[in-house]
Amino acid sequence: MDVRHTRRSVSKGRSPHDFYPTDPAAVEAILNLESFPGTVLEPCAGDGAVVRVLLSRGYRVVSNEPYPRAGLTPDYSEDYLDLEDKPPGVESVVTNPPFALALPFVLKTIALGIDKHAWLLRVQFGEGKTRYTELFSRCQPARVWLFARRPYDMSPDRPAGAKRGSMMTLAWWVWDRRKTGPTELGWISPYGK
């Protein structure tokens, strides 16, 4: 699979470096449904929201972030697409990637031979000729977990403690090299239920 994609600049009106902090409840939701082998890599760790949840659940974590935010001192500060090898011990990825780079990030992870990876992405990630041709026709996800209720808004200017819902319909897209057969579809129950 070709992972050489042009790195698009962030669209006007978007957060710099496409930074949208992850709702910790969204990370808890996937960890309630899936387990991840080995050390988990967070390739675009932002402010460390995903990393903190993984650590609180007992996972060994390696973080990467070329533009770290307050609250995170990453293990690596590289462009994920430039990595030649996966860090030692890494068998999994759990992340909320920049949406504009989601396809090349998924392709890069497959090329690195990482066994299991989960991506917090829009449901619309499943659409499009390029994604179908470069990814889904060759390597389908093991499972897609749809949120029955949208996670909390992840905009960087959201007031602390605000609980307004996201404008996007999101899902966790999970690839697992051990899985055979067609993609399974499941739902994540609403928060607080």
Side-chain angles (χ1 to χ4, degrees), residues 25-36 57 94 118-119 145 147 172-174 188:
V27 183
E28 291 284 355
I30 193 60
L31 296 180
N32 290 337
L33 296 165
E34 302 274 352
S35 61
F36 296 90
R57 297 287 287 265
V94 177
W119 306 84
W145 294 101
F147 284 90
W172 280 102
W173 296 75
V174 180
I188 297 171

mmCIF file of all heavy atoms in Angstrom, residues 25-36 57 94 118-119 145 147 172-174 188:
data_model
loop_
_atom_site.group_PDB
_atom_site.id
_atom_site.type_symbol
_atom_site.label_atom_id
_atom_site.label_comp_id
_atom_site.label_asym_id
_atom_site.label_seq_id
_atom_site.Cartn_x
_atom_site.Cartn_y
_atom_site.Cartn_z
ATOM 1 N N ALA A 25 -14.117 10.063 27.851
ATOM 2 C CA ALA A 25 -15.186 9.059 27.861
ATOM 3 C C ALA A 25 -15.214 8.266 26.559
ATOM 4 O O ALA A 25 -15.583 7.091 26.554
ATOM 5 C CB ALA A 25 -16.541 9.730 28.110
ATOM 6 N N ALA A 26 -14.820 8.883 25.447
ATOM 7 C CA ALA A 26 -14.765 8.161 24.169
ATOM 8 C C ALA A 26 -13.670 7.100 24.204
ATOM 9 O O ALA A 26 -13.834 6.009 23.654
ATOM 10 C CB ALA A 26 -14.535 9.131 23.017
ATOM 11 N N VAL A 27 -12.553 7.404 24.862
ATOM 12 C CA VAL A 27 -11.464 6.436 24.982
ATOM 13 C C VAL A 27 -11.887 5.313 25.928
ATOM 14 O O VAL A 27 -11.664 4.130 25.648
ATOM 15 C CB VAL A 27 -10.161 7.108 25.474
ATOM 16 C CG1 VAL A 27 -9.011 6.100 25.515
ATOM 17 C CG2 VAL A 27 -9.810 8.288 24.583
ATOM 18 N N GLU A 28 -12.505 5.668 27.041
ATOM 19 C CA GLU A 28 -13.010 4.648 27.969
ATOM 20 C C GLU A 28 -13.964 3.701 27.240
ATOM 21 O O GLU A 28 -13.945 2.486 27.473
ATOM 22 C CB GLU A 28 -13.735 5.299 29.156
ATOM 23 C CG GLU A 28 -12.837 6.065 30.095
ATOM 24 C CD GLU A 28 -12.005 5.200 31.016
ATOM 25 O OE1 GLU A 28 -12.164 3.958 31.016
ATOM 26 O OE2 GLU A 28 -11.158 5.769 31.730
ATOM 27 N N ALA A 29 -14.787 4.257 26.349
ATOM 28 C CA ALA A 29 -15.769 3.445 25.631
ATOM 29 C C ALA A 29 -15.102 2.344 24.809
ATOM 30 O O ALA A 29 -15.538 1.193 24.839
ATOM 31 C CB ALA A 29 -16.640 4.330 24.734
ATOM 32 N N ILE A 30 -14.032 2.669 24.079
ATOM 33 C CA ILE A 30 -13.392 1.634 23.270
ATOM 34 C C ILE A 30 -12.634 0.640 24.145
ATOM 35 O O ILE A 30 -12.588 -0.552 23.857
ATOM 36 C CB ILE A 30 -12.481 2.225 22.156
ATOM 37 C CG1 ILE A 30 -12.082 1.149 21.142
ATOM 38 C CG2 ILE A 30 -11.262 2.913 22.713
ATOM 39 C CD1 ILE A 30 -13.227 0.495 20.409
ATOM 40 N N LEU A 31 -12.083 1.105 25.265
ATOM 41 C CA LEU A 31 -11.355 0.195 26.154
ATOM 42 C C LEU A 31 -12.305 -0.750 26.893
ATOM 43 O O LEU A 31 -11.872 -1.804 27.361
ATOM 44 C CB LEU A 31 -10.504 0.987 27.146
ATOM 45 C CG LEU A 31 -9.384 1.825 26.517
ATOM 46 C CD1 LEU A 31 -8.600 2.562 27.597
ATOM 47 C CD2 LEU A 31 -8.465 0.978 25.656
ATOM 48 N N ASN A 32 -13.575 -0.398 26.968
ATOM 49 C CA ASN A 32 -14.565 -1.302 27.541
ATOM 50 C C ASN A 32 -14.964 -2.408 26.564
ATOM 51 O O ASN A 32 -15.552 -3.404 26.967
ATOM 52 C CB ASN A 32 -15.814 -0.536 27.980
ATOM 53 C CG ASN A 32 -15.556 0.330 29.195
ATOM 54 O OD1 ASN A 32 -14.631 0.082 29.972
ATOM 55 N ND2 ASN A 32 -16.362 1.355 29.363
ATOM 56 N N LEU A 33 -14.643 -2.201 25.282
ATOM 57 C CA LEU A 33 -15.038 -3.151 24.242
ATOM 58 C C LEU A 33 -13.881 -3.947 23.651
ATOM 59 O O LEU A 33 -14.071 -5.046 23.134
ATOM 60 C CB LEU A 33 -15.745 -2.403 23.101
ATOM 61 C CG LEU A 33 -17.058 -1.736 23.479
ATOM 62 C CD1 LEU A 33 -17.470 -0.743 22.411
ATOM 63 C CD2 LEU A 33 -18.130 -2.783 23.697
ATOM 64 N N GLU A 34 -12.705 -3.379 23.675
ATOM 65 C CA GLU A 34 -11.539 -3.982 23.030
ATOM 66 C C GLU A 34 -10.358 -3.974 23.994
ATOM 67 O O GLU A 34 -10.232 -3.072 24.823
ATOM 68 C CB GLU A 34 -11.128 -3.184 21.781
ATOM 69 C CG GLU A 34 -12.178 -3.045 20.719
ATOM 70 C CD GLU A 34 -12.217 -4.204 19.731
ATOM 71 O OE1 GLU A 34 -11.310 -5.069 19.767
ATOM 72 O OE2 GLU A 34 -13.153 -4.232 18.924
ATOM 73 N N SER A 35 -9.486 -4.957 23.856
ATOM 74 C CA SER A 35 -8.204 -4.934 24.560
ATOM 75 C C SER A 35 -7.107 -4.847 23.507
ATOM 76 O O SER A 35 -7.302 -5.250 22.356
ATOM 77 C CB SER A 35 -8.043 -6.174 25.435
ATOM 78 O OG SER A 35 -8.071 -7.335 24.645
ATOM 79 N N PHE A 36 -5.967 -4.322 23.918
ATOM 80 C CA PHE A 36 -4.884 -4.055 22.973
ATOM 81 C C PHE A 36 -3.596 -4.712 23.455
ATOM 82 O O PHE A 36 -3.160 -4.474 24.578
ATOM 83 C CB PHE A 36 -4.716 -2.544 22.784
ATOM 84 C CG PHE A 36 -5.938 -1.927 22.165
ATOM 85 C CD1 PHE A 36 -6.968 -1.450 22.962
ATOM 86 C CD2 PHE A 36 -6.092 -1.893 20.798
ATOM 87 C CE1 PHE A 36 -8.126 -0.920 22.395
ATOM 88 C CE2 PHE A 36 -7.237 -1.373 20.214
ATOM 89 C CZ PHE A 36 -8.248 -0.886 21.018
ATOM 90 N N ARG A 57 -5.683 2.757 32.697
ATOM 91 C CA ARG A 57 -6.208 1.395 32.543
ATOM 92 C C ARG A 57 -5.097 0.336 32.545
ATOM 93 O O ARG A 57 -5.340 -0.830 32.266
ATOM 94 C CB ARG A 57 -7.018 1.298 31.255
ATOM 95 C CG ARG A 57 -8.259 2.185 31.203
ATOM 96 C CD ARG A 57 -9.399 1.703 32.090
ATOM 97 N NE ARG A 57 -10.065 0.545 31.598
ATOM 98 C CZ ARG A 57 -11.174 0.542 30.866
ATOM 99 N NH1 ARG A 57 -11.766 1.681 30.557
ATOM 100 N NH2 ARG A 57 -11.696 -0.591 30.456
ATOM 101 N N VAL A 94 -3.851 3.278 19.432
ATOM 102 C CA VAL A 94 -5.163 3.838 19.777
ATOM 103 C C VAL A 94 -5.015 5.343 19.646
ATOM 104 O O VAL A 94 -4.150 5.942 20.291
ATOM 105 C CB VAL A 94 -5.606 3.469 21.208
ATOM 106 C CG1 VAL A 94 -6.933 4.143 21.547
ATOM 107 C CG2 VAL A 94 -5.712 1.958 21.379
ATOM 108 N N ALA A 118 -6.907 1.117 16.611
ATOM 109 C CA ALA A 118 -8.246 1.709 16.728
ATOM 110 C C ALA A 118 -8.154 3.204 16.479
ATOM 111 O O ALA A 118 -7.287 3.886 17.033
ATOM 112 C CB ALA A 118 -8.824 1.437 18.119
ATOM 113 N N TRP A 119 -9.087 3.694 15.667
ATOM 114 C CA TRP A 119 -9.081 5.084 15.206
ATOM 115 C C TRP A 119 -10.434 5.716 15.492
ATOM 116 O O TRP A 119 -11.456 5.210 15.047
ATOM 117 C CB TRP A 119 -8.816 5.122 13.695
ATOM 118 C CG TRP A 119 -7.573 4.379 13.330
ATOM 119 C CD1 TRP A 119 -7.444 3.030 13.114
ATOM 120 C CD2 TRP A 119 -6.275 4.933 13.176
ATOM 121 N NE1 TRP A 119 -6.146 2.723 12.825
ATOM 122 C CE2 TRP A 119 -5.399 3.866 12.862
ATOM 123 C CE3 TRP A 119 -5.766 6.221 13.269
ATOM 124 C CZ2 TRP A 119 -4.045 4.054 12.634
ATOM 125 C CZ3 TRP A 119 -4.408 6.407 13.039
ATOM 126 C CH2 TRP A 119 -3.568 5.335 12.723
ATOM 127 N N TRP A 145 -17.276 0.409 15.658
ATOM 128 C CA TRP A 145 -18.131 0.658 16.816
ATOM 129 C C TRP A 145 -18.737 2.057 16.697
ATOM 130 O O TRP A 145 -18.039 3.055 16.851
ATOM 131 C CB TRP A 145 -17.321 0.559 18.111
ATOM 132 C CG TRP A 145 -16.793 -0.794 18.403
ATOM 133 C CD1 TRP A 145 -15.515 -1.240 18.198
ATOM 134 C CD2 TRP A 145 -17.518 -1.893 18.959
ATOM 135 N NE1 TRP A 145 -15.415 -2.552 18.600
ATOM 136 C CE2 TRP A 145 -16.621 -2.972 19.082
ATOM 137 C CE3 TRP A 145 -18.841 -2.059 19.370
ATOM 138 C CZ2 TRP A 145 -17.002 -4.207 19.591
ATOM 139 C CZ3 TRP A 145 -19.221 -3.291 19.887
ATOM 140 C CH2 TRP A 145 -18.313 -4.340 19.992
ATOM 141 N N PHE A 147 -21.063 5.197 17.852
ATOM 142 C CA PHE A 147 -21.598 5.792 19.072
ATOM 143 C C PHE A 147 -23.107 5.953 18.919
ATOM 144 O O PHE A 147 -23.577 6.586 17.973
ATOM 145 C CB PHE A 147 -20.956 7.156 19.335
ATOM 146 C CG PHE A 147 -19.562 7.070 19.874
ATOM 147 C CD1 PHE A 147 -18.469 7.047 19.017
ATOM 148 C CD2 PHE A 147 -19.338 6.986 21.239
ATOM 149 C CE1 PHE A 147 -17.181 6.959 19.511
ATOM 150 C CE2 PHE A 147 -18.054 6.893 21.741
ATOM 151 C CZ PHE A 147 -16.973 6.880 20.876
ATOM 152 N N TRP A 172 -15.432 4.223 16.381
ATOM 153 C CA TRP A 172 -14.097 3.645 16.506
ATOM 154 C C TRP A 172 -13.956 2.608 15.403
ATOM 155 O O TRP A 172 -14.752 1.675 15.319
ATOM 156 C CB TRP A 172 -13.905 2.990 17.870
ATOM 157 C CG TRP A 172 -13.582 3.960 18.966
ATOM 158 C CD1 TRP A 172 -14.435 4.442 19.915
ATOM 159 C CD2 TRP A 172 -12.312 4.557 19.225
ATOM 160 N NE1 TRP A 172 -13.772 5.306 20.745
ATOM 161 C CE2 TRP A 172 -12.464 5.394 20.347
ATOM 162 C CE3 TRP A 172 -11.055 4.457 18.624
ATOM 163 C CZ2 TRP A 172 -11.400 6.131 20.881
ATOM 164 C CZ3 TRP A 172 -10.003 5.202 19.153
ATOM 165 C CH2 TRP A 172 -10.180 6.021 20.269
ATOM 166 N N TRP A 173 -12.960 2.772 14.558
ATOM 167 C CA TRP A 173 -12.631 1.840 13.473
ATOM 168 C C TRP A 173 -11.458 1.004 13.957
ATOM 169 O O TRP A 173 -10.394 1.546 14.278
ATOM 170 C CB TRP A 173 -12.252 2.624 12.221
ATOM 171 C CG TRP A 173 -13.368 3.451 11.660
ATOM 172 C CD1 TRP A 173 -13.860 4.627 12.159
ATOM 173 C CD2 TRP A 173 -14.126 3.164 10.494
ATOM 174 N NE1 TRP A 173 -14.876 5.090 11.361
ATOM 175 C CE2 TRP A 173 -15.063 4.209 10.329
ATOM 176 C CE3 TRP A 173 -14.103 2.128 9.563
ATOM 177 C CZ2 TRP A 173 -15.966 4.246 9.288
ATOM 178 C CZ3 TRP A 173 -14.999 2.161 8.510
ATOM 179 C CH2 TRP A 173 -15.918 3.210 8.377
ATOM 180 N N VAL A 174 -11.640 -0.306 14.022
ATOM 181 C CA VAL A 174 -10.632 -1.195 14.614
ATOM 182 C C VAL A 174 -10.152 -2.214 13.585
ATOM 183 O O VAL A 174 -10.954 -2.971 13.035
ATOM 184 C CB VAL A 174 -11.207 -1.938 15.840
ATOM 185 C CG1 VAL A 174 -10.155 -2.859 16.447
ATOM 186 C CG2 VAL A 174 -11.739 -0.949 16.884
ATOM 187 N N ILE A 188 -21.874 1.575 20.597
ATOM 188 C CA ILE A 188 -21.415 1.985 21.917
ATOM 189 C C ILE A 188 -22.607 2.641 22.601
ATOM 190 O O ILE A 188 -23.166 3.611 22.085
ATOM 191 C CB ILE A 188 -20.224 2.966 21.815
ATOM 192 C CG1 ILE A 188 -19.042 2.259 21.148
ATOM 193 C CG2 ILE A 188 -19.870 3.527 23.182
ATOM 194 C CD1 ILE A 188 -17.883 3.171 20.807
#
